[in-house]
Amino acid sequence: MSEGSRATSLAFGQVVIGPPGSGKSTYCHAMKEFLGRVGRRVALVNLDPANETLPSPCALDIAQLVTLPDVMDSLRLGPNGGLLYCMEYLEANVDWLQEQLEGLRGHYVLFDCPGQVELYTHHNSLKNVFAHLAKWNFRLAAVHLVDSHYCTDPGKFISVLCTSLSTMLHVELPHVNILSKMDLIEQYGKLAFNLDYYTEVLDLSYLVDHLASDPFFRNYRRLNEKLVEVIEDYSLVSFIPLNVQDKESMRQVMQAVDKANGYSFGDQEHRSLEALMSAAVGADFHFSSTLAVQEKYVQSQDKAVEEEVMDL
């Protein structure tokens, strides 16, 4: 059976990426539970061959194809090299992945991905797998999780911004950046600026000035200025704060991802034109009300013209 005939129906989902320890598996578990409560059929797919302690059952696990310990033992590779090999092996066996995913049609799919940063900044295997998913009519958004504790260290936050930007450019998917573990941010230390400064990535020159107060970073001020210029020139990076234990926080993330992957505009939501425009412009757009106002305005204009004619 050809690719086109096997992938006729659209499927929506998220590829959940981010550094180790950023909370990807916890997010997948929490989002699966949240989406299930709002009525969606959700399937979790584990694409991390090093993840052996999943918080919830998976509909599909890459361990059925390859595992990191087996690769390390058989090829005498370290954890990083072994993980790269696993992703290359997955790319070489995408037919297996396609066959397994056919049973998940009609589900909203969460892909729990590995945490190795270079997989999303310059290595191509996982990027190519995502491209295959797109050919199979999966409409995906990349959900990039970053631990919120990086906000407490200006130097680390600039590094996170650079990594996020590089990931967005390399992965080539609609992208939603998330500051995870917001419920723990107070334990990490006091923020130099308000939270919206970090989520909206406002004027980063203040961050460079703050770094200059450190004798070590003072010597690298010009480098930091150039890095900040690159981030601001692209103007792509912003973050949504997330606390997986807070329903409103989860709802905001869900809405952002739904707009990114197009789920908001699909038949699954049974959207009216009014709701469609609300999602598009970020405010309530009452189409019928607008028509009524327009009709009333036209009628008043016509009446005014008639009165002028009568006066003549």
Side-chain angles (χ1 to χ4, degrees):
M1 187 178 294
S2 65
E3 281 191 0
S5 60
R6 296 185 66 179
T8 55
S9 61
L10 284 178
F12 293 89
Q14 308 174 21
V15 291
V16 183
I17 62 179
S22 57
K24 295 185 296 299
S25 295
T26 301
Y27 168 85
C28 288
H29 173 70
M31 185 56 71
K32 178 183 177 183
E33 295 292 322
F34 184 81
L35 294 176
R37 286 195 294 269
V38 299
R40 298 188 194 179
R41 296 174 62 199
V42 184
L44 179 59
V45 174
N46 177 43
L47 292 184
D48 185 358
N51 194 352
E52 299 178 347
T53 55
L54 298 169
S56 59
C58 290
L60 174 60
D61 192 345
I62 193 177
Q64 299 168 2
L65 176 70
V66 63
T67 65
L68 181 60
D70 289 343
V71 169
M72 291 173 61
D73 291 341
S74 60
L75 300 180
R76 296 183 180 181
L77 293 173
N80 288 342
L83 194 52
L84 293 178
Y85 178 87
C86 288
M87 293 301 100
E88 292 170 357
Y89 190 79
L90 175 62
E91 181 188 2
N93 291 273
V94 288
D95 291 341
W96 172 86
L97 181 62
Q98 182 182 14
E99 183 179 348
Q100 298 297 317
L101 289 174
E102 282 300 315
L104 301 181
R105 290 291 172 179
H107 289 75
Y108 187 99
V109 186
L110 299 172
F111 294 90
D112 189 359
C113 299
Q116 196 168 1
V117 174
E118 52 262 48
L119 290 172
Y120 314 109
T121 56
H122 59 270
H123 195 264
N124 288 326
S125 289
L126 206 50
K127 171 186 173 180
N128 294 338
V129 171
F130 297 157
H132 281 291
L133 290 170
K135 292 179 181 178
W136 305 333
N137 273 348
F138 279 89
R139 299 296 180 258
L140 302 172
V143 178
H144 184 210
L145 270 66
V146 174
D147 197 319
S148 60
H149 89 268
Y150 290 118
C151 295
T152 61
D153 188 318
K156 291 180 179 178
F157 187 65
I158 290 179
S159 299
V160 162
L161 292 175
C162 291
T163 302
S164 298
L165 178 60
S166 179
T167 300
M168 294 175 75
L169 297 175
H170 183 73
V171 171
E172 298 179 348
L173 282 176
H175 215 88
V176 177
N177 290 305
I178 304 292
L179 281 178
S180 63
K181 306 180 184 179
M182 289 302 299
D183 53 319
L184 303 176
I185 193 168
E186 294 182 356
Q187 302 178 19
Y188 296 141
K190 186 178 180 180
L191 298 179
F193 305 99
N194 292 333
L195 181 61
D196 60 348
Y197 177 87
Y198 300 93
T199 57
E200 300 300 326
V201 189
L202 302 176
D203 190 349
L204 296 178
S205 62
Y206 294 107
L207 205 62
V208 175
D209 293 337
H210 189 76
L211 273 174
S213 62
D214 188 313
F216 175 79
F217 286 107
R218 190 179 302 139
N219 298 325
Y220 300 96
R221 182 185 180 96
R222 183 162 176 78
L223 173 62
N224 289 324
E225 288 175 346
K226 292 301 180 183
L227 291 174
V228 163
E229 285 180 14
V230 171
I231 296 166
E232 291 184 330
D233 284 347
Y234 275 96
S235 190
L236 291 175
V237 185
S238 61
F239 295 93
I240 299 175
L242 172 65
N243 174 6
V244 296
Q245 300 179 22
D246 181 66
K247 292 182 180 178
E248 178 60 23
S249 179
M250 292 291 290
R251 185 187 66 83
Q252 291 176 357
V253 171
M254 180 193 72
Q255 288 182 333
V257 176
D258 283 351
K259 291 178 184 178
N261 64 14
Y263 188 90
S264 294
F265 313 107
D267 293 336
Q268 290 85 347
E269 294 291 280
H270 302 288
R271 299 293 189 184
S272 65
L273 179 59
E274 177 180 303
L276 180 67
M277 293 304 296
S278 297
V281 301
D284 289 334
F285 184 90
H286 299 288
F287 186 66
S288 58
S289 300
T290 303
L291 285 178
V293 171
Q294 183 179 7
E295 183 178 356
K296 183 178 180 181
Y297 175 77
V298 171
Q299 289 176 349
S300 64
Q301 289 291 96
D302 291 342
K303 185 177 181 179
V305 171
E306 289 177 2
E307 291 176 352
E308 290 179 3
V309 171
M310 291 295 294
D311 291 339
L312 293 174

